[in-house]
Amino acid sequence: MSQAKQDTRDWSVAWKNPFVVAWFVILTIVLAVNFFMVSMAIITNPGLVVDDFYEKGKNMEAVLINRKRMEDMGWQLNVDLPLLKEGKDETVKLTVLDKENKPFDVDSAVLYYYRPSDKNMDGEVPLVSTGVTGQYEAKFHLPLKGKWDLLMEVHKGDLHYNIGRSIMVQDPE
């Protein structure tokens, strides 16, 4: 007759149990990954900070009223924005139209650009008239690839109109 081999392992010591060891290893890995992610978030990006967030929040009603006024004016800003590449000069063209789709001149036109991850990269470029009614242009470049927010703003007397968009700047290839 054959005798069955008896289990002689001692499970009374926790560190000899493979389930306890596996649980401890998994817990250690999870905590190490969490610590790494938190430290990278603190070190690499301070985040976007609005110094006067309370005042900006209070002014939201004025922003909404201004947006409604802009819709009532019916102005149109047609922007011809080429595909931008990192560090390469490009020409941006703007055409200003009224409610009846007729071009008209404005007192000033400005292109503002914002880098969401670094406010030190923000800037503005004034657009100059091309000599054709309602048409303006400017040469500019963005120094880094990635996401940028653009805002076109025109002024005529005490009226102003603006539009914004987000773009991605490509590698210079």
Side-chain angles (χ1 to χ4, degrees):
M1 293 210 168
S2 73
Q3 250 183 334
K5 187 175 179 182
Q6 253 188 340
D7 187 6
T8 58
R9 293 178 289 189
D10 181 18
W11 297 109
S12 63
V13 178
W15 293 112
K16 291 184 178 181
N17 187 331
F19 295 109
V20 172
V21 172
W23 179 83
F24 183 74
V25 168
I26 291 171
L27 180 65
T28 303
I29 290 171
V30 167
L31 290 176
V33 168
N34 283 339
F35 177 76
F36 173 76
M37 290 171 53
V38 168
S39 64
M40 289 304 293
I42 292 170
I43 293 170
T44 59
N45 186 6
L48 296 177
V49 177
V50 178
D51 295 329
D52 57 346
F53 66 90
Y54 182 72
E55 293 301 319
K56 288 201 186 267
K58 285 190 344 186
N59 293 334
M60 190 60 186
E61 183 179 8
V63 169
L64 294 174
I65 290 171
N66 188 40
R67 185 173 294 160
K68 176 70 174 137
R69 187 171 54 95
M70 286 185 349
E71 288 174 8
D72 292 342
M73 286 190 305
W75 292 4
Q76 301 169 48
L77 302 181
N78 295 335
V79 181
D80 181 13
L81 185 67
L83 182 64
L84 297 174
K85 298 194 183 282
E86 178 182 5
K88 184 178 176 193
D89 282 342
E90 295 288 348
T91 301
V92 176
K93 296 178 182 176
L94 171 70
T95 305
V96 183
L97 304 171
D98 63 10
K99 268 187 178 179
E100 290 82 34
N101 291 330
K102 294 179 186 172
F104 69 97
D105 286 326
V106 293
D107 299 333
S108 67
V110 181
L111 167 65
Y112 298 97
Y113 51 93
Y114 304 97
R115 178 82 171 175
S117 62
D118 184 5
K119 70 179 180 179
N120 296 325
M121 301 298 293
D122 298 352
E124 64 184 69
V125 176
L127 284 84
V128 295
S129 176
T130 61
V132 178
T133 301
Q135 291 188 0
Y136 302 87
E137 69 180 12
K139 283 192 181 254
F140 88 110
H141 74 277
L142 295 173
L144 296 174
K145 67 180 181 176
K147 183 178 180 193
W148 291 81
D149 293 329
L150 302 179
L151 179 72
M152 288 284 206
E153 185 171 83
V154 295
H155 291 270
K156 183 170 181 82
D158 63 343
L159 299 175
H160 70 276
Y161 192 87
N162 60 44
I163 60 169
R165 73 170 63 155
S166 292
I167 62 165
M168 289 296 287
V169 175
Q170 307 295 319
D171 276 329
E173 298 173 354

